Amino acid sequence: MLNRRQFIQNSMVVSAGLSISNPLLKLLFQNDYQMEMLRNNVGIFTERGGTIAYMITKEGIVVVDSQFPAQANHLIEEIQKKSDRKIDLLVNTHHHGDHTAGNIAFKGLVNKVMAHENSLKNQKRSAEGQGSLDNQLLPDTTYSNGMIKEKVGGERVALHYFGPGHTDGDSFVHFENANIVHTGDLLFNRRVPYIDKSAGANITNWQVVLEKAYNTFDTNTLFVFGHAGDGYEVKGNREDLLAFQNYLGKVMEFVKKGQAAGKTKEQLAEATEIPGAPQWKGGQTRAVNAAWMELFGE
Ligand SMILES: [Zn+2]
Ligand SMILES: [Zn+2]
């Protein structure tokens, strides 16, 4: 019996030179996970949900975000192949299920779970709403303003809070020695963002948050993004912060001007591109609705 990885590898050999047009193969590839080492033993794991960052060394193991339980288990298996050490630290960039539902897979395997205090509050509230509190592993260490820092092995992991943006509880997570920052969903790379008004999102302040991040980190910082649009990567540099900041500003401008010109929210929500930010392609409904709510209420 071939396991799935061997099957995929064999299939790749068989289909070498052909495009992957077989829908079954496509599905297999889409469900498979990828791990990529960036630098200083810090890498990224992608499968389904928000990008995970991890650090694996003899002296310490850190995981940032956890996707869903099946995906978290894939990562845990990979970690356990490399080390029998207990995982030192799990960080959540924010509470959304595609970043925290996999926390539960780390139960008993991790020493500390960190997040902003609003991320904990939001995670608890949504789980209570869905009756799924038993399936959560909640953060046990939180902070309110500014920064919290944890030393793991030779690395220092700092969580920075610059106020509400994508939710009211998003952290930038900085591996200081590696100089790698996980932005969580504070950056959707060329992809129309989810803006969670029900969890305190604020588009106006989000632009300030990105500015603060731009000034806190530097030109050598490597950024890991929660999500990216088709054809774009879940990693990048400081300039991507400004590009996304520009997009958010243009969304607000588009809705403000549209309303002043007598357009309804529904009419504006039909937009498939925001003037001045063409790289964020596709349906703009969720961004337009959030901007409208922020500017004019319901
Ligand atoms: Zn996400
Ligand atoms: Zn999110």
Side-chain angles (χ1 to χ4, degrees), residues 98-99 185 227:
D98 60 317
H99 301 255
D185 285 357
H227 306 276

Side-chain angles (χ1 to χ4, degrees), residues 114-167:
M114 275 167 77
H116 188 266
E117 65 178 11
N118 291 342
S119 178
L120 169 62
K121 174 199 73 184
N122 292 333
Q123 190 181 345
K124 230 180 186 166
R125 194 201 50 226
S126 352
E128 277 163 0
Q130 294 164 9
S132 65
L133 202 53
D134 291 348
N135 294 324
Q136 307 293 318
L137 178 65
L138 297 169
D140 51 52
T141 307
T142 60
Y143 70 113
S144 52
N145 278 310
M147 182 181 45
I148 188 171
K149 204 182 284 196
E150 181 80 6
K151 207 172 169 296
V152 183
E155 183 56 283
R156 292 185 311 270
V157 181
L159 281 68
H160 295 260
Y161 183 69
F162 298 134
H166 167 70
T167 69

Side-chain angles (χ1 to χ4, degrees), residues 49-51 65 93-94 96-99 166 184-185 188 191 194 226-227:
T51 313
D65 285 349
T93 59
H94 67 296
H96 284 148
D98 60 317
H99 301 255
H166 167 70
D185 285 357
F188 280 69
R191 177 167 165 174
Y194 177 44
H227 306 276

